[in-house]
Amino acid sequence: MGVKVLLVEDEDNIRQFTKINLVREGFEIIEAESGEKGVELAEKHNPDVAVLDIMLPGIDGFEVCKILRRKYPNIVIIMLTAKTQDTDKIEGLERGADDYLTKPFNPRELILRIKSVLRRTNTEAENDQIIQDSTFKLDMYSRSFYKNGKEITLTPTELNIIKLLMENPGKAITRDELMDKAWGKDFIGDAKIVDVNMRRLRSKIEEDSTHPKYIVTVWGVGYRWENRK
Ligand code: CA
């Protein structure tokens, strides 16, 4: 089974150019010129990856991201941002994107990022490991996560982060290590993506994400999983 990529981009030349490169790489491409069309095609084709432009006619890429993430927790979402403002990137990530690329981008870089997130996801899917502590349970076979028996839906990247943290309770994990393990060794984005994902993760699992007690910040280093068995 090939990897299905939904590409939502209203600019014909960028869409065609990206498509040619992804097809050459062996991906199956489903293309949409608008957010509405993208959502519709996602329902029909159930893609593994969505590449979303932000500025679209009708509903924008952020909105598409939110809808797709709600419907398909396991889909890998990469945002294409035309602007360089960090606020755009962060807004996209908080709505559930796994990664972003700033336009103009090199299709090679997009391919690397897709592969790197998928590699993590696929490797872990073969793993039947269950990690548990007094509050949380992570089941890597079904890729599900529970807090006090209640399931919390996590994105592929969030699951990879949680796995790394729970495997190393009490240990300070650096941002570099997180990027290596949760995004893949060839990840070339910036470290800010780690903090944004952590913020999103905390809002899902902490009782009070402004005073986190499970995912603790280690100043100048990274993060630590505080919950012991
Ligand atoms: Ca556009």
Side-chain angles (χ1 to χ4, degrees):
M1 279 290 280
V3 173
K4 269 191 252 179
V5 180
L6 170 69
L7 175 61
V8 184
E9 165 64 81
D10 60 315
E11 283 165 72
D12 282 337
N13 53 345
I14 299 179
R15 198 178 61 250
Q16 290 315 319
F17 181 65
T18 309
K19 181 187 172 182
I20 288 166
N21 280 278
L22 292 175
V23 166
R24 194 180 294 152
E25 202 57 38
F27 295 128
E28 182 187 332
I29 305 302
I30 301 136
E31 49 181 320
E33 293 162 40
S34 70
E36 285 85 350
K37 190 80 191 165
V39 171
E40 188 191 314
L41 290 178
E43 217 150 292
K44 202 166 145 194
H45 297 277
N46 199 17
D48 307 286
V49 179
V51 177
L52 309 174
D53 185 30
I54 291 174
M55 304 293 276
L56 295 166
I59 62 170
D60 67 12
F62 290 134
E63 196 56 33
V64 178
C65 175
K66 208 169 80 183
I67 295 169
L68 294 184
R69 180 54 79 213
R70 199 169 49 218
K71 286 189 173 173
Y72 317 102
N74 295 322
I75 195 171
V76 168
I77 301 178
I78 298 176
M79 308 293 294
L80 300 176
T81 162
K83 301 170 199 163
T84 47
Q85 282 98 346
D86 287 343
T87 47
D88 277 341
K89 297 171 183 172
I90 289 166
E91 189 180 352
L93 293 167
E94 284 180 345
R95 286 173 194 225
D98 294 288
D99 201 355
Y100 62 83
L101 267 180
T102 306
K103 284 177 163 181
F105 62 93
N106 182 334
R108 211 46 248 163
E109 196 180 345
L110 176 62
I111 290 164
L112 278 179
R113 296 209 186 181
I114 292 175
K115 284 187 165 176
S116 117
V117 185
L118 284 175
R119 193 176 310 125
R120 293 302 310 163
T121 312
N122 293 338
T123 318
E124 304 310 342
E126 290 159 14
N127 194 335
D128 58 358
Q129 193 179 4
I130 291 177
I131 309 172
Q132 274 191 95
D133 59 29
S134 51
T135 316
F136 299 98
K137 178 180 158 186
L138 174 66
D139 179 344
M140 288 312 287
Y141 183 71
S142 60
R143 295 187 69 80
S144 48
F145 180 71
Y146 304 86
K147 179 182 180 183
N148 297 321
K150 190 168 177 283
E151 183 162 11
I152 297 176
T153 305
L154 300 182
T155 69
T157 304
E158 289 164 355
L159 270 167
N160 291 339
I161 294 172
I162 277 287
K163 178 170 185 278
L164 182 62
L165 291 171
M166 287 187 75
E167 279 175 341
N168 299 283
K171 183 186 176 217
I173 313 273
T174 66
R175 285 181 178 76
D176 281 346
E177 199 176 348
L178 277 158
M179 282 193 287
D180 268 7
K181 298 271 171 61
W183 280 269
K185 283 227 181 300
D186 43 13
F187 181 70
I188 32 181
D190 67 85
K192 223 173 282 158
I193 195 176
V194 175
D195 298 322
V196 174
N197 269 271
M198 280 300 178
R199 192 150 68 218
R200 199 171 69 209
L201 196 47
R202 278 171 168 164
S203 74
K204 290 184 180 180
I205 74 163
E206 298 280 352
E207 281 99 71
D208 174 5
S209 59
T210 58
H211 299 98
K213 63 176 201 185
Y214 305 118
I215 302 175
V216 175
T217 300
V218 184
W219 295 107
V221 179
Y223 299 91
R224 188 176 65 223
W225 185 253
E226 265 304 308
N227 214 38
R228 305 301 185 105
K229 283 179 205 293

